């Protein structure tokens, strides 16, 4: 396979950027048609041209040639502001990728590590304590509501 102009051996399951982009775009088309179809409208094309002219087709972050018009506040977060030229900027591919990655990390950071709360309910001596003892990890906080209420009522 040719990568960056050089022939290289790659693992059999190696995916090129175009393959992952294609899969990402297909998923996006299925899950959010209104969002994707917006970028094909005449209103967006005119607004995009206005922003490119305003910014002289120059990336506002690094000063190199830019051809991507990006929402400063993502349109997914503020749909009503999607055609506001004050919320749009011209970026080059590299700066756009960095910004998009930063936004994704900010939005998804800790999603898997977020605390989960599980409430275990049952009659006295029904095995709640045994269940919790078997399933808890070293990072869990366990509040025994029955024990707490019995101490408060004493």
């Amino acid at each position: 396979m040719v990568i960056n102009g050089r022939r290289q051996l790659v693992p059999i399951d190696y995916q090129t950027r175009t393959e992952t982009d294609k899969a990402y775009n297909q998923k996006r088309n299925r899950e959010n048609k209104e969002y994707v179809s917006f970028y094909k409208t005449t209103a967006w094309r005119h607004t995009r041209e206005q922003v490119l002219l305003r910014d002289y087709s120059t990336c506002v972050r690094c000063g190199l040639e830019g051809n991507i018009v990006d929402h400063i506040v993502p349109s997914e977060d503020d749909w009503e502001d999607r055609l506001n030229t004050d919320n749009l900027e011209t970026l080059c591919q590299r700066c756009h990728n960095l910004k998009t990655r930063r936004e994704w990390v900010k939005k998804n950071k800790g999603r898997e590590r977020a605390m989960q709360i599980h409430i275990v309910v049952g009659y006295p001596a029904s095995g709640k304590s045994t269940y919790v003892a078997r399933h808890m990890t070293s990072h869990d906080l366990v509040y025994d509501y029955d024990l707490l209420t019995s101490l408060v009522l004493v």
Side-chain angles (χ1 to χ4, degrees):
M1 176 173 281
V2 178
I3 301 174
N4 295 330
R6 294 174 43 210
R7 293 183 58 77
Q8 296 181 13
L9 288 175
V10 295
I12 195 160
D13 60 345
Y14 178 81
Q15 289 187 333
T16 63
R17 174 73 191 232
T18 54
E19 289 171 347
T20 55
D21 285 352
K22 185 177 178 181
Y24 172 76
N25 288 330
Q26 286 174 344
K27 180 179 182 236
R28 207 172 184 186
N29 278 327
R30 279 192 314 272
E31 294 176 359
N32 203 344
K33 288 184 186 224
E34 181 184 16
Y35 178 81
V36 173
S37 63
F38 161 72
Y39 290 100
K40 298 174 184 172
T41 64
T42 305
W44 168 249
R45 289 185 182 140
H46 288 301
T47 305
R48 182 181 183 281
E49 283 303 312
Q50 279 181 295
V51 173
L52 287 171
L53 287 170
R54 179 195 70 196
D55 295 339
Y56 301 105
S57 294
T58 303
C59 178
V60 297
R61 296 187 182 224
C62 69
L64 295 175
E65 181 181 350
N67 60 354
I68 297 173
V69 175
D70 184 63
H71 290 88
I72 298 167
V73 175
S75 56
E76 291 173 331
D77 296 342
D78 188 2
W79 187 248
E80 299 305 315
D81 212 18
R82 67 190 179 277
L83 289 172
N84 180 358
T85 56
D86 292 334
N87 185 40
L88 296 168
E89 62 186 357
T90 302
L91 298 175
C92 65
Q93 186 68 54
R94 183 174 175 273
C95 290
H96 181 260
N97 291 345
L98 289 169
K99 179 181 179 278
T100 303
R101 176 73 180 149
R102 200 174 312 120
E103 287 171 349
W104 185 90
V105 167
K106 184 178 178 184
K107 192 174 195 178
N108 294 296
K109 183 179 180 183
R111 182 178 282 181
E112 296 297 319
R113 297 180 301 175
M115 180 189 297
Q116 295 182 1
I117 299 173
H118 300 276
I119 300 173
V120 180
V121 180
Y123 292 108
S126 63
K128 296 184 305 269
S129 300
T130 306
Y131 176 85
V132 170
R134 276 195 208 133
H135 293 90
M136 72 180 203
T137 66
S138 61
H139 300 291
D140 291 338
L141 277 171
V142 177
Y143 291 99
D144 188 335
Y145 185 74
D146 294 333
L147 178 63
L148 289 173
T149 54
S150 68
L151 292 173
V152 172
L153 297 176
V154 172

